[in-house]
Amino acid sequence: MIRSLSIVSGLILFAFITTHLLNLTLGIISIELLESSRPYFFAIWTNFPVELLLVLALLIHPLLGLRSVYFRNTLRMSGQDKVQLISSLLIIPLLIPHLFAIKAGEQILGISPTFTGFLTIMWIDLPLEGLRQVLLVIVVWIHGCIGLFTWLRLKAWWSAVAPYVYPLAVAIPTLALLGFVEAGRDAVTRYEQAQASGQYQYGANVQIENKYQNLYQKKSDMYDAKDYKYENPYQKKSDKYVVKDYSSALSPQQFAASAKSIDEAKWMVLLGYFLLVCAVFVGRFIRLRKYHEKVQIHYANGLTISSDVGPTLLEIAIQNDVPHANLCHGKGRCGTCRVRIIKSSSSLTPASKLEQAMLDRLGSSPDTRLACQVGPGPGVVHLHRLLSADVQPDCLHGCAEEEAVECPEAKQAQDVDNKGAAI
């Protein structure tokens, strides 16, 4: 259930960011096309049921990520897993200012969430916000691609479509950032033209102490000039697109006070997230402190290692630099980490539904376990790794445990173990 929630919520968020980036690529052509196409790209996400699913995914996926961090028994991991973990922790701090700028600005300040408006603010008034937005795109896309490709590479059909998908993983964010740059340059040029014509009297370089007043002035100018031609980038082409003038609802002082309150609330949320992350790592440390007993692992090739009780067999192998197959990075999705328990004086944790389902699908014998799912108690465990550490996804399909020796990687592992050679 938890694994399914993580996959589904991740797919929903990845689909949303992909839609967003595809829309942003049109900025390469013109800011008008970027703006006019936005309703079409986001049509599906503005329906209440889909929007609700998006919000739930945004809440569930980070929480499940923190849960997985809490239950990690070791922070020694592959480079890919390190990037995945660090990017997951960075996404929320980078995303929260963007969410507050859109939702709070729209509902409280009456700022319409348009590309033109935000590009002008990020390129002229608050350039650091623009830099944060670029960093957010990069971090989210890297995190999403690692998770997506780790999941897809286990599918039987993936090797056939991968050559066509991998280029898109590079092209989409690259074109989106180019669109962001081109549309931003266009917004700056139009702003300078509007300022030269006397439509805007405030400076482009906003100082911290008066940024709220300047944003109020910009908001008023953006919504008041209904009769300007389309050359004015802050207006729609006809009256049916003109946004309601919210500027009369709030005075400059009220606008500044509301904007300041939103800013303070944003920092409170960021502080809350930071404390939650700290609590997860502290809780993880306390959880692992209770393990003092030892377990010895004897591999069939003669290698013996000792470890504290608590980590899984796979985590113990990683901690001791023992090569061990795990294409899904210890999530129980691939079955490549499976081992045959030769004998054991240690009490092994019973197989979960997830592990048993995978073992049944592979047609495994009763003495086979997934190293990423089984945790040994104090004692001694003798085991045999069934697949080589460099096993490839192609070996997963049509290769049950009894047939594992037919896979070249698996045959190599079995020969090495049987001969007592070190892997």
Side-chain angles (χ1 to χ4, degrees):
M1 178 65 178
I2 292 178
R3 183 180 68 165
S4 298
L5 279 176
S6 179
I7 294 175
V8 172
S9 59
L11 289 175
I12 292 174
L13 294 174
F14 193 79
F16 176 79
I17 188 63
T18 302
T19 303
H20 198 31
L21 294 185
L22 288 174
N23 187 190
L24 201 55
T25 59
L26 298 180
I28 297 176
I29 302 174
S30 71
I31 198 170
E32 291 91 352
L33 181 59
L34 172 64
E35 196 70 78
S36 62
S37 62
R38 186 171 65 93
Y40 301 101
F41 277 95
F42 286 89
I44 186 175
W45 303 108
T46 53
N47 294 321
F48 176 74
V50 180
E51 190 173 12
L52 179 60
L53 284 176
L54 180 61
V55 172
L56 290 175
L58 187 58
L59 294 174
I60 291 173
H61 200 70
L63 290 177
L64 291 180
L66 291 176
R67 177 186 180 276
S68 67
V69 171
Y70 174 79
F71 283 107
R72 285 194 71 96
N73 293 308
T74 177
L75 293 180
R76 293 191 63 179
M77 58 190 83
S78 66
Q80 176 178 303
D81 287 341
K82 289 177 182 177
V83 173
Q84 181 81 333
L85 174 60
I86 294 172
S87 61
S88 68
L89 296 176
L90 289 176
I91 288 175
I92 295 300
L94 292 172
L95 181 61
I96 286 176
H98 182 64
L99 293 180
F100 269 80
I102 292 178
K103 290 302 180 182
E106 181 182 10
Q107 299 297 326
I108 300 176
L109 303 179
I111 298 178
S112 178
T114 63
F115 278 120
T116 304
F118 278 108
L119 284 170
T120 304
I121 291 174
M122 286 188 289
W123 276 82
I124 299 174
D125 296 315
L126 304 173
L128 289 181
E129 286 299 301
L131 182 61
R132 179 195 54 77
Q133 194 72 5
V134 170
L135 185 59
L136 173 62
V137 169
I138 295 173
V139 170
V140 169
W141 190 255
I142 290 175
H143 178 83
C145 284
I146 291 177
L148 182 65
F149 293 153
T150 300
W151 175 58
L152 290 178
R153 71 196 294 245
L154 306 179
K155 307 298 182 182
W157 46 265
W158 175 244
S159 59
V161 302
Y164 305 99
V165 177
Y166 282 133
L168 294 177
V170 178
I172 291 177
T174 301
L175 293 175
L177 291 176
L178 287 175
F180 175 77
V181 171
E182 289 300 317
R185 292 172 61 184
D186 195 2
V188 170
T189 300
R190 298 184 182 202
Y191 165 80
E192 291 174 347
Q193 293 173 352
Q195 189 180 43
S197 65
Q199 296 177 20
Y200 300 101
Q201 301 301 324
Y202 52 89
N205 298 319
V206 178
Q207 301 299 320
I208 295 299
E209 58 269 18
N210 62 0
K211 68 176 180 179
Y212 302 121
Q213 287 81 354
N214 283 340
L215 289 177
Y216 176 86
Q217 178 63 40
K218 177 170 288 186
K219 180 177 88 64
S220 301
D221 291 341
M222 286 169 61
Y223 296 137
D224 284 343
K226 296 168 60 175
D227 296 327
Y228 292 158
K229 293 182 179 181
Y230 193 63
E231 284 73 15
N232 180 357
Y234 306 109
Q235 300 306 314
K236 299 296 182 180
K237 207 164 188 177
S238 63
D239 285 344
K240 68 178 181 178
Y241 292 114
V242 173
V243 183
K244 179 182 177 182
D245 179 12
Y246 290 90
S247 60
S248 59
L250 294 174
S251 67
Q253 293 76 18
Q254 291 173 326
F255 184 94
S258 298
K260 186 177 180 180
S261 298
I262 293 172
D263 206 32
E264 292 174 349
K266 175 191 71 177
W267 285 108
M268 289 297 293
V269 173
L270 287 171
L271 177 61
Y273 173 76
F274 175 76
L275 294 176
L276 177 61
V277 172
C278 290
V280 168
F281 278 95
V282 171
R284 175 186 172 277
F285 175 78
I286 294 174
R287 179 179 67 83
L288 295 177
R289 286 269 297 182
K290 67 181 181 181
Y291 297 117
H292 299 290
E293 297 175 298
K294 296 287 185 178
V295 59
Q296 277 193 349
I297 310 297
H298 293 256
Y299 293 90
N301 64 3
L303 176 64
T304 300
I305 58 177
S306 179
S307 171
D308 292 332
V309 171
T312 64
L313 291 175
L314 177 60
E315 290 171 333
I316 291 174
I318 293 174
Q319 287 175 340
N320 291 273
D321 298 318
V322 177
H324 207 304
N326 59 108
L327 288 179
C328 69
H329 301 274
K331 296 180 174 63
R333 298 174 185 166
C334 65
T336 57
C337 68
R338 60 188 185 274
V339 296
R340 178 174 289 118
I341 305 299
I342 301 173
K343 63 179 180 178
S344 174
S345 64
S346 166
S347 58
L348 305 179
T349 56
S352 63
K353 292 182 179 179
L354 171 66
E355 180 184 1
Q356 193 58 54
M358 176 59 69
L359 293 174
D360 291 342
R361 185 173 70 82
L362 295 170
S364 301
S365 58
D367 59 354
T368 301
R369 298 295 302 271
L370 297 185
C372 68
Q373 301 296 309
V374 57
V380 179
V381 180
H382 294 261
L383 57 84
H384 165 63
R385 289 163 290 177
L386 294 178
L387 295 179
S388 153
D390 59 354
V391 63
Q392 298 301 311
D394 291 342
C395 186
L396 297 180
H397 311 290
C399 180
E401 175 189 329
E402 291 75 11
E403 303 168 337
V405 293
E406 300 301 322
C407 295
E409 300 86 354
K411 187 176 186 303
Q412 176 189 0
Q414 183 164 331
D415 290 344
V416 168
D417 279 348
N418 289 341
K419 294 176 182 178
I423 293 182

